Amino acid sequence: MLRAATQAATGDDVMGEDPTVNALEAYAADLFGKERALFVPTGTMGNLCAIMAHCHYNKSAEIILGTRSHINLYEGGGYANIAAVSCKEIPEDENGMFSLELVRDAFHLDNDDHYAKSTLICLENTHNMLGGVALPSSYINGIGKLAHDEWKEHGMKVHIDGARIFNAAVSQNISPSALCAGADSVSICLSKGLGTAMGSILVGETEFIRLARRARKRLGGGMRQAGVMASMGMHALLNHVDRLAEDHDRAQRLAKELQNEGFWLPRNGKVDTNVVFFALPDNSKLKKEELPPLLYEKYGVKIAGGYSSGGRLFRLVTHMDVNDEGIDVALEGITSLCV
């Protein structure tokens, strides 16, 4: 990956003249079955560019999104304070889905002065706060059919926050294009499981990407010799996707062994991809606040805590820098400190 970066051909991407960025965007668009793509510095910017582009011509826009979605919880409220759109939150079930009935209830036209106009439905795949659950293509197609057929005349669109979309595709043995066929746009993170230093890709129709590029400029995301970073993204797409299955296997091992030791896991321990949430057993020797610092101090393992109501859940994420030995150490540390 570093060799690819040092050898990358570069140009001015603000002017569309960086050949490596252009190649990455073309490859990503083709991979997802969309017309065009846009390279952006971060996933948060990718999602915000998507919202701004989809809502560009509707200055009283409202987006429909999940209560526990990353866009809603962890992206600084950018849809409101930067994109100037309102949101309608819908609760997801444990599989990361909200029912079509709830979406219909949330939908508003602009024929009533009391309401903002529903413009965009945002999904998240995989769903971070629900333990990396993977949405199937059948569900995405169902949401897409609702937006594109039932509300076609109103211009309703569907965006997927696909920070870990390749995890979803690999776990279901489906191509990214087939998985995301029901969506108008997808943001794809090139770091996280794919292992690049930075960068995300936004894919969609040509006019959507034109508006997203304008949004990227206003957000300060225009980059000059960005091919150095884009080359690493291309390397990741060509070499690091299939190996995500190894991360899933390790996450499932973590979940199984923690559950066997009496730890509580959502969905009765079912893990789709590379994210594992767990809570301490009732007879734990440690309080929840004590585990992260002690685990790092004694075993060198970093975990995040404070999730869910009351902050009882911890999150473990497997990735290409975590091997089987690392799983062994994490399990030994957690169980020996708590049980």
Side-chain angles (χ1 to χ4, degrees), residues 14 68 114 120 159 169 200 206 212-213 260 267 275 289 298:
V14 172
R68 290 177 285 181
H114 296 89
L120 178 66
H159 171 68
S200 285
T206 299
R213 177 178 286 272
N260 288 342
R267 304 172 78 211
V275 181
E289 297 84 4
K298 294 181 180 296

Side-chain angles (χ1 to χ4, degrees), residues 307-324:
Y307 295 97
S308 80
S309 178
R312 65 189 292 255
L313 293 183
F314 299 89
R315 187 181 74 147
L316 304 173
V317 180
T318 56
H319 51 83
M320 64 187 303
D321 294 326
V322 177
N323 57 21
D324 290 331

Side-chain angles (χ1 to χ4, degrees), residues 44-306:
T44 294
M45 184 179 289
N47 286 330
L48 188 52
C49 285
I51 292 169
M52 293 172 71
H54 283 306
C55 300
H56 182 83
Y57 294 111
N58 181 10
K59 298 309 179 185
S60 62
E62 183 170 80
I63 60 176
I64 299 172
L65 77 171
T67 301
R68 290 177 285 181
S69 67
H70 197 276
I71 291 176
N72 190 44
L73 295 178
Y74 297 119
E75 299 188 6
Y79 62 81
N81 54 46
I82 299 175
V85 303
S86 62
C87 81
K88 180 70 173 182
E89 299 176 24
I90 300 179
E92 309 96 325
D93 63 21
E94 66 174 8
N95 296 310
M97 305 178 191
F98 30 72
S99 69
L100 297 185
E101 289 73 21
L102 287 177
V103 179
R104 287 191 178 95
D105 288 344
F107 179 78
H108 291 127
L109 297 174
D110 60 354
N111 57 0
D112 188 322
D113 294 344
H114 296 89
Y115 301 120
K117 181 180 183 294
S118 299
T119 305
L120 178 66
I121 303 170
C122 295
L123 306 177
E124 185 174 332
N125 200 14
T126 64
H127 198 298
N128 175 40
M129 285 302 295
L130 291 169
V133 295
L135 300 180
S137 59
S138 57
Y139 175 74
I140 297 170
N141 290 338
I143 294 292
K145 184 176 181 180
L146 178 64
H148 303 143
D149 294 350
E150 191 167 324
W151 296 326
K152 180 178 180 180
E153 64 183 285
H154 306 300
M156 196 70 167
K157 303 295 184 182
V158 178
H159 171 68
I160 297 177
D161 173 4
R164 297 181 177 90
I165 194 67
F166 285 107
N167 293 92
V170 168
S171 72
Q172 300 175 82
N173 193 29
I174 186 173
S175 69
S177 59
L179 180 59
C180 301
D184 299 281
S185 60
V186 187
S187 61
I188 307 123
C189 185
L190 297 172
S191 57
K192 293 188 172 69
L194 295 184
T196 65
M198 61 163 281
S200 285
I201 292 283
L202 184 62
V203 298
E205 295 179 348
T206 299
E207 175 62 9
F208 164 78
I209 292 297
R210 184 186 75 82
L211 295 173
R213 177 178 286 272
R214 290 175 60 83
R216 185 187 71 172
K217 183 63 176 176
R218 297 199 300 277
L219 295 172
M223 297 173 286
R224 302 298 176 179
Q225 285 70 39
V228 173
M229 305 309 303
S231 65
M232 301 172 84
M234 180 67 87
H235 178 90
L237 291 180
L238 294 174
N239 297 282
H240 295 171
V241 173
D242 290 341
R243 64 148 309 281
L244 292 173
E246 301 173 23
D247 299 336
H248 302 168
D249 290 342
R250 292 185 177 112
Q252 288 161 9
R253 181 187 160 207
L254 277 169
K256 180 179 179 180
E257 298 199 23
L258 287 173
Q259 191 171 43
N260 288 342
E261 292 290 342
F263 292 84
W264 182 87
L265 281 79
R267 304 172 78 211
N268 195 30
K270 182 182 179 183
V271 171
D272 292 349
T273 56
N274 69 322
V275 181
V276 178
F277 281 94
F278 72 93
L280 300 182
D282 292 337
N283 62 345
S284 174
K285 295 184 293 186
L286 294 180
K287 297 179 180 179
K288 62 180 184 294
E289 297 84 4
E290 297 172 326
L291 178 59
L294 278 176
L295 187 62
Y296 182 63
E297 176 186 340
K298 294 181 180 296
Y299 293 89
V301 176
K302 291 183 178 181
I303 65 171

Side-chain angles (χ1 to χ4, degrees), residues 13-25:
D13 181 48
V14 172
M15 306 302 294
E17 297 172 353
D18 190 302
T20 306
V21 172
N22 293 343
L24 172 65
E25 291 174 343

